[in-house]
Amino acid sequence: MTAENTTPAQAADDLPEQLRIRRDKRARIIDQGGEAYPVALPVTHTVAQVRAGYGHLEPGQETDDVAGVAGRVVFLRNTGKLCFVTLQDGEGNRLQAMLSQAVVGEDALAAFKADVDLGDHLFVHGRIGSSRRGELSVFADSWTLASKSLRPLPVLHKDLSEESRVRQRYVDLIARPAARDMVRLRANVVRSLRENFHRRDFVEIETPMLQTIASGAAARPFTTHMNAYDIELYLRIAPELFLKRAVVGGVERVFEINRNFRNEGADSTHSPEFAMLEAYEAYGDYNTIGALTQNLVQTAALDALGTTLVTLPDGTEYDLGGEWAQVVMYDSLSESLGEQITTETTVEELLGIGARLGLELEHKATNHGKLVETLWEHRVGDHLTAPTFVRDFPVETSPLVRAHRTVPGQVEKWDLYVRGFELATGYSELVDPVIQRDRLEAQALLAAAGDDEAMRLDEDFLVAMEYAMPPSGGMGMGLDRLLMALTGYGIRETILFPLVKPHA
RNA sequence: GCCUCGGUAGCUCAGCGGUUAGAGCUGCGGACUUUUAAUCCGUAGGUCCUGGGUUCGAAUCCCAGCCGGGGCACCA
C-alpha cells in the first residue's frame, strides 16, 4: 500500500463497519492496479437517451446497437451467474444493466460482485435490449467502476428524515424525487422570469450586497467588517434604493434577481437569506406593475408546471390563472370588523378593537398604520387563499410609496397574497425628493427612538432622487415564496442548501 | 423568545424502570443465469444526542444544555 492510499489506522478504527469496509474495498481495488476513480469513461449514451431511443422494445427483444452508459447504482440483484444492476442519472432516470457470466466472463463477474456497491457510479458497455420480463437493459460485455462511494446509500423506499434532507441535500437529491424536481422547477421558474423580462426589454443589473447603510425595507440587517477600509458594512436587506438610482440614471426598465439577508426569525415562510426579484418600470404605476406581476407568475407557472392549476402535496388544488381578485385594505378590514375603519380612526380606537379580538398590540402602538396592517393581517390576510391584490396602504408603514392620487392618508401600494402569505408587493414609487427626504427623516427619528426596524436614511439615495426619477411602478417578489406557491412546500424545501445550525 | 413533540445500528423506526437494547432495509459469508425493494441460509453491526441527578438497577424517571419538527410571538 502507498501512503496516499492508506486510511490512517487510528481513524479507521473509529469508523462504523460499513464505512470501513468500503474504504478497504477502494484501497484493495487500487492496490490490485485498478481504478476506483478513473479520469474518463467512453460514455456514448445517457440513461435518458437509451430510454428515449429503445423504450419501445418488446420483452425479450435484443438489438445489435451498442452503448456505453454510466449512472449511480441504486439496486443490485445477484442471481448467481447473472447480476442485475439499476443505474440512475441525476434526474432520476433509471436503466438496468445485466451482467452474465457467459458474456463478461467468470473473473469480471466475480470482480463485479466483490467491488460494486449500492451508491457507486458504474459504467457498463454492451448491447441494448429488453429482458425477458420486459425491462430495458444494457447486456453488458464489460463494466468499469466510475466512482467508488465510501458511504452507503440511505434506504430508497423511505424518505430521509427532515433533518437529514436539509443537512445532506446531496443525499436527499439521490434518494428523493421531489428534491430533484424542486431543483429543476426552481431553475425553470427563474429562466421563465428572466425571459419574460427580456421580451419586455427590461435590463437585468446587479446591485451591491455589501452596503454602508442597509435600507429599502423595514428589517434588521446582518453586519460584517471590511478589513481594507476598516469599516462596518451591512449585508443588504433590499436592492430597492440602488435599483432606483439606476432608474434615475436612465435604466428605465430594470430588474434584479438576487439574494437579500435579514437578521430575523426563521420559520416555514422565512429564511435569513432569501432570493428576491425586484423590477422598476418608468412611466408605469402600481396598476401596470400589478398586471406585469400577474403575467410573470402565470407565465412562470405555465413554463415550469405546464399549468396554472397548482396541486399541493395534500392533494388540494388552487388556480393561479385568470384575473386576480383585488380588495382595498381599509374596506376589507371594515367589512370583516363590521365597523368603518378609515385613516381617521385613532390609535386608541384601533387598540380597543385589538383588545376585543384578544390580540396583543401594545408593541405596535407607535402608529395608526402598523395597527391597521396588523389587524388586517389577522382578520383578512391570513385567510386569503386565492391570489389577491390588497390595495392602498396607510402612509406610515410605506415610506417609499407615493400618496394615493385620490385618497388622503393612503399610498398606492399593493401586497399580493397567496395561500395566506405575502408573495409580492408593488408601488407607485415616490419620486418627489422633498417628500422622500421628509419620510426618511421621520423614519430616522423612529430609529433614534429605538425602533430597530425603522428604515435608515441613505443620503446618497436622496441626492440621486434630487436629480429626478421618472414616475415609475415598482415591485418586489420573494422567489422562494413563488416556489412555495407553485408547490405547497415550506421555504426550506425550496432552497437547495438552506442555513442549518451546526451540531454542537 | 415561549409552548410542544422528537433525537436509539449506515438508513427508516420500535422499545418508555427490570435478563445480554430489537425489526426492516443495508453490510459481511454462502446458494442461485431473467431479477424489479429478487429469493433462501448463516452472520456482524450500538458513546440509546450531551452532561448531571434519583434508584439495588436508567435508552426508559428528574434537571440543565445541544440539534430538529410543529405551534405562538416577531418579520417578508
Side-chain angles (χ1 to χ4, degrees):
Chain A
M1 277 198 190
T2 62
E4 187 182 33
N5 184 26
T6 308
T7 307
Q10 193 176 356
D13 287 346
D14 294 341
L15 240 35
E17 181 190 38
Q18 297 198 33
L19 275 61
R20 200 190 66 239
I21 287 167
R22 283 164 179 260
R23 276 163 174 72
D24 291 346
K25 283 188 185 181
R26 171 195 166 277
R28 196 196 69 233
I29 290 163
I30 294 171
D31 284 345
Q32 291 170 348
E35 289 197 86
Y37 304 96
V39 65
L41 292 159
V43 171
T44 65
H45 294 65
T46 63
V47 168
Q49 284 169 342
V50 175
R51 289 225 84 94
Y54 299 89
H56 61 278
L57 295 183
E58 298 294 322
Q61 187 180 351
E62 301 185 16
T63 75
D64 290 323
D65 298 346
V66 167
V69 185
R72 190 184 291 274
V73 175
V74 290
F75 295 116
L76 270 173
R77 295 173 290 276
N78 170 8
T79 67
K81 295 185 178 62
L82 177 66
C83 290
F84 300 86
V85 57
T86 302
L87 303 180
Q88 177 177 289
D89 72 11
E91 288 181 82
N93 298 305
R94 289 175 176 176
L95 179 65
Q96 176 171 276
M98 295 164 63
L99 292 93
S100 167
Q101 181 175 293
V103 181
V104 299
E106 194 169 347
D107 290 348
L109 190 67
F112 177 84
K113 292 178 191 173
D115 294 351
V116 177
D117 289 310
L118 289 174
D120 294 350
H121 287 274
L122 180 73
F123 170 83
V124 293
H125 177 274
R127 290 184 300 114
I128 298 168
S130 178
S131 76
R132 281 182 211 162
R133 299 288 171 87
E135 186 70 35
L136 184 62
S137 305
V138 172
F139 299 102
D141 53 49
S142 69
W143 68 271
T144 308
L145 198 57
S147 189
K148 182 75 196 159
S149 173
L150 296 186
R151 289 176 184 267
L153 239 37
V155 292
L156 294 179
H157 2 284
K158 287 194 171 162
D159 281 348
L160 277 179
S161 65
E162 285 188 72
E163 186 169 0
S164 298
R165 286 188 205 175
V166 290
R167 284 194 189 277
Q168 295 187 284
R169 185 71 84 192
Y170 38 90
V171 179
D172 190 31
L173 289 170
I174 296 166
R176 197 167 57 97
R180 291 191 287 269
D181 292 346
M182 181 63 79
V183 176
R184 274 89 185 168
L185 181 67
R186 185 170 180 128
N188 289 335
V189 166
V190 171
R191 185 204 309 207
S192 171
L193 293 169
R194 282 210 164 94
E195 287 176 350
N196 201 339
F197 276 119
H198 291 323
R199 283 195 294 272
R200 296 164 188 272
D201 294 323
F202 275 71
V203 175
E204 181 172 14
I205 67 171
E206 290 166 275
T207 64
M209 296 276 178
L210 293 174
Q211 303 185 346
T212 53
I213 296 163
S215 191
R220 276 174 296 190
F222 285 92
T223 58
T224 188
H225 184 262
M226 181 179 176
N227 292 335
Y229 294 176
D230 191 24
I231 52 173
E232 295 304 306
L233 290 175
Y234 300 96
L235 274 63
R236 75 175 190 189
I237 56 175
E240 176 155 356
L241 304 192
F242 281 96
L243 289 168
K244 284 180 171 172
R245 286 170 168 92
V247 176
V248 168
V251 192
E252 295 187 343
R253 296 162 83 80
V254 66
F255 76 102
E256 176 167 12
I257 296 175
N258 229 320
R259 222 74 63 79
N260 288 343
F261 306 87
R262 297 190 185 176
N263 205 343
E264 291 167 349
D267 60 30
S268 64
T269 59
H270 297 85
S271 172
E273 59 175 315
F274 62 102
M276 186 87 175
L277 161 66
E278 280 203 17
Y280 293 85
E281 177 185 38
Y283 303 106
D285 63 9
Y286 78 149
N287 295 311
T288 65
I289 210 79
L292 171 62
T293 301
Q294 180 178 304
N295 182 268
L296 286 166
V297 170
Q298 292 176 345
T299 304
L302 287 170
D303 288 346
L305 296 175
T307 172
T308 57
L309 199 62
V310 175
T311 307
L312 304 182
D314 65 7
T316 61
E317 292 186 340
Y318 76 103
D319 196 356
L320 288 168
E323 280 295 311
W324 291 343
Q326 303 206 11
V327 300
V328 173
M329 172 170 278
Y330 280 87
D331 294 351
S332 58
L333 178 59
S334 299
E335 192 178 323
S336 157
L337 291 172
E339 67 182 283
Q340 200 63 29
I341 305 296
T342 70
T343 52
E344 302 299 317
T345 308
T346 65
V347 166
E348 288 69 29
E349 289 171 312
L350 292 168
L351 283 173
I353 292 166
R356 288 210 303 280
L357 297 173
L359 298 173
E360 280 288 334
L361 295 179
E362 296 308 319
H363 56 285
K364 300 266 193 185
T366 45
N367 66 55
H368 163 93
K370 277 196 182 184
L371 288 168
V372 167
E373 279 193 32
T374 304
L375 286 172
W376 182 87
E377 281 164 20
H378 275 97
R379 297 295 298 180
V380 187
D382 290 348
H383 312 293
L384 290 175
T385 50
T388 306
F389 286 113
V390 188
R391 291 164 63 91
D392 303 336
F393 278 61
V395 65
E396 295 93 334
T397 54
S398 311
L400 303 172
V401 192
R402 78 184 301 149
H404 195 282
R405 57 195 85 182
T406 58
V407 186
Q410 295 182 24
V411 294
E412 295 200 350
K413 166 183 173 177
W414 52 255
D415 269 3
L416 172 61
Y417 271 72
V418 179
R419 294 186 48 242
F421 62 82
E422 187 189 333
L423 174 60
T425 187
Y427 308 158
S428 295
E429 300 296 340
L430 174 57
V431 296
D432 182 329
V434 174
I435 296 175
Q436 182 67 87
R437 183 175 290 276
D438 288 346
R439 296 263 192 89
L440 288 181
E441 283 176 353
Q443 289 287 310
L445 288 176
L446 286 177
D451 184 344
D452 55 11
E453 282 172 3
M455 209 172 286
R456 294 312 197 249
L457 191 153
D458 182 338
E459 179 59 34
D460 182 69
F461 165 69
L462 290 172
V463 170
M465 295 303 287
E466 288 171 7
Y467 282 90
M469 172 169 159
S472 300
M475 65 83 88
M477 178 160 60
L479 193 58
D480 319 285
R481 290 191 163 189
L482 177 55
L483 269 296
M484 291 164 60
L486 292 174
T487 63
Y489 287 111
I491 198 166
R492 278 156 61 96
E493 298 284 344
T494 72
I495 297 173
L496 190 53
F497 299 110
L499 181 72
V500 204
K501 271 198 196 179
H503 278 128

